[in-house]
Structure formats: C-alpha cells, structure tokens
Amino acid sequence: AYWIDGMMRLGLVLGDQELLARARADVAAVIRKSEFTELQEKGVQGWPRSVYSRAMLAHLDATGDPSVLPFFEAVWPANYTMEVGSDARSITQCEALLEGYAFGGSETLREVCLRGLAANEAPFLQAWVKAPCTNFSEGSSCLERSFELQHGVTWNEIAKLWAMASGWMTEDPAKANMYLQASINAYDQLDARDMLPIGVNSGDEALSGVAPNASVETCDIADFMHSKTWLLRLTGDAHHGDQLERAFHNAAPAAVSRDWRSHVYFQAPNLQRIPKDAYRLPGERYQMAEHHDPACCTGNQARLLPNYIHHMWMSFQGPSGLGLAATMYGPNRVSASVGPLGALRRVDIDVTTAYPFETGIHMVVRIRDGGSVDFAVKFRIPNWCKGPTLTVAGASVPIALAAGGFHEVQRTWADGDAVELDLPMEPLVETARTINNGGVPGKDTAYADGNRNNYVAGGLPYATVSLGPLLFALPLEGGQPWGFALDTTTPLEVVRRPLPE
C-alpha cells in the first residue's frame, strides 16, 4: 500500500508515465476485484485499506476517475463499524472516508467516520485534552494512558485524525474544537518528549525519547511529514511547515542512498554509536540495503519526496477570493485558479532557487490570458529567520507576520511581476539534555513480544549546530574513534562553496 501510494504520487510529481501506468493498473485491479470488500469480509484490519486509499485519492484528484468514490461507498457502507479491538490503527480509515467525502462522496462516508471516532474517542481525548500527563517517569500513573510509549507510526497515523474530523463537525462546534485541540496537544507532547534534532520523532519502533542513540523508522519520517501537511492545512500555523521542512531536509535524505537505490530501516542522530544488536533488533536495519523486512520502510521511502513537493503551495479563501500560500520552498511551478470567486483566473508562478543551500528565492507570476488579477499570496517565514526581506515588482515590502507565521501580500498582480524573498540564515548552536520518555531498560510496555526496548538515558548533555533548516553533521568514516566535543561558546563562521553541477 505504501509503495503504490508513493509510486502514484511520484509519477504525478515527475510526470513519469511509466510509473503512473503501473500504479493506475494496480488501482484499477483493486477496484475491479473489489479486493477491499473481500478483506473486510475476512476480518482483516482496516489500516491497510486506509494506506492504500491514499493512492486511490491521489489518482482521483489527478484524473477524476468516476470509479473511485462508488468503490469507497461499497467498502464503507452505512452499517460499517471500525474494529479497533485488535488494532487501534483501524480508525485511520477515517482519513480515506473524509477525503472521499470532500471529493464528492456521499454523506455516508462522513457519518461512518465520525461515528467511528466518537465510539473510540475517550482514551485519546482523556490523554490529549481532558487530563494530559504531567509525570512521565517510570511507574507514573498517567504514563500508560498518555500513549507516550506508543508505536511511533501508529501515533502519527492516529494523532492527526481528530483535527481532520473537526472541519466536518459543523453541527457540534464545541466537540469540533475539542477534536482539533486533541491533535494540536498530541503533537505538542511529541515535540516536548520525542523530537529528535533530525526533524522527526524517535520511533524504534515505539516512541523513544530524545538521545543520540534514539532511533527512528523510515516509516515514521514519511508519516510524520504526511501528518504535518494536514496540521498545516487545518491550522494555518507555519510552525508545522517549519517542522515539515526540517524533516524533509535532514531525516528524509539520511534514510536513502544518493542514487536512491538503497535505504535504511532505522537511523539515529549519532549512527555510529548504535551497537549491532541495538535494542535486540537486527543490526542490518541500520545499514543501506535495497530491501528490508518487513517491507514497510522500503515502500515508504517512495512517499518522502511527494509528501513535500505536493504541499509546496496551498490554496486558501480570503475576503477577496482564492489566494495562494507558499508553504515550502524549492524550485517549482504552481498552476492555480485565483481571484474573486465569480471571476477566477488561471495563473502560473515559477520559482527559481537553490534554497536551503542559498537564501534567495525568485518568483515570477504569469497570468494565462495576460492582463492583471487581484489575489493574495502568503509567504511562510520560518521561525529561525530573523531578518527576512521581500521585494514585489521592484518595490520593497515591509514584512509583518500574522499570528500563524505567514506574511500576506494582497495586490493586483500583473503578468510578469517578480518576487524576491530572502531568508537569511545564521548558524545556531543549541544545547539540551537527553529525555527519557518513561521507557525502562529491558522493558517496553508498548509491546508484549519483548522484541523492542524504547529506553534511553535522560539528563545527558548534547549540542547541535543548525543553519536555517539544515542540521550539520561531522562525517566520520567507519572505525574512527569517537574523541570529539563541540565548543558551544566560540562563534561559528559560515563558509559557502559553489554547489555541485
């Protein structure tokens, strides 16, 4: 399911007809054979259906294929109930149900999702809204119900669902707000307890606190990025964009080889400090290989690029009509309808940049039929950037950030108008201490099979060096001794060299 979703979205990003043909053939076969319904009848958990549905929704969005939504309504009829007793991830089917409804599916899809969430909401709302845990030490009475020792991928798959549902609960605004707050609080907890310097949560396989030897699955990287796109869309808070960007530029590329022909199952900030039998897991999972068992991470590596690229721009509706938000930066072209709702116009915006390896971002607005059009453009200003500058059509524009971390330019745009955005970067040395999230040596309360251990020692000092969204690392060849320390008091000098051709 991960693999087909990645194949479909990569094919769309690259315009690769071979990839698209293979992915679409698979989707057509699933619909033709009603394979989801067969799985349902056999009692198979709903989570794989949720993952595979992402590929189907990407296909629907790109082609308008009329066979997808009837298939969804056959798989999830009005009397469908989510079996979560054996696997909590079954409620992730809500993602497909709500997206299917948003694309024009029947009211049944929305109702089945909301009914399923309501039936299983109690422990999640208790943990993230009504009584959040404040003591994460071993033996704490609230540790287990906080989900702090949960499987990392499961956390990312479930924690966003409540925010996703909140927008479709107009009949109960108070409950909708509670659902939205549950997702926000869940990720605040993740940030405080498990966020690694590489930009994603630890997850080996369970959440593992923060430490040089706290690992993360490649699956977590893809799902964390996917969840952050949802929170960015739903809240408009640039903080989620900042996190998505850091994950994409650090954890994501570290998971794959430069030729994209091999990948790791696990990585950690200080990779060489992990012994071969770390956490009683096979040491090979930390090595580059064409395939790892199970194949979840092998499939998820294909989702890393599209999870970023597909969300570099987002549309929004403001007082003057439809506008565009520049949420992620990199070389790209966006084509969209903008302007007053009754008189939409098609525009293209071409973006040229070497960001984040350079600070300047150049954009040119092209209006399809010439002339001009009035619409708003929002620019995400990263929290780490202290002196951004913006020029529009040759005129300097003072930057005034809204509450969400975006600067909005509302104007009448003419064909060929140029935008120059500069996001200066200063080296940042940060010191912190490792965090034990409640795990204990030789024991993992999240798993009964004894195959994993999410223990890391807390309270130990460490430091990181960042430049903008980039985390710096010291390249060490295998076998070199670890005899290094970071001077956190001496100012750093940035030396730039030309990018390779």
Side-chain angles (χ1 to χ4, degrees), residues 82-91 120:
M82 297 177 193
E83 299 296 332
V84 299
S86 59
D87 180 22
R89 282 186 289 189
S90 281
I91 64 172
N120 297 281

Side-chain angles (χ1 to χ4, degrees), residues 144-176:
E144 184 172 351
R145 65 171 173 77
S146 72
F147 297 103
E148 180 55 37
L149 301 179
Q150 180 60 266
H151 180 236
V153 173
T154 300
W155 178 289
N156 280 301
E157 292 278 15
I158 291 176
K160 67 177 181 295
L161 295 177
W162 314 96
M164 290 180 65
S166 67
W168 299 110
M169 300 171 66
T170 54
E171 68 280 3
D172 191 347
K175 177 62 74 68

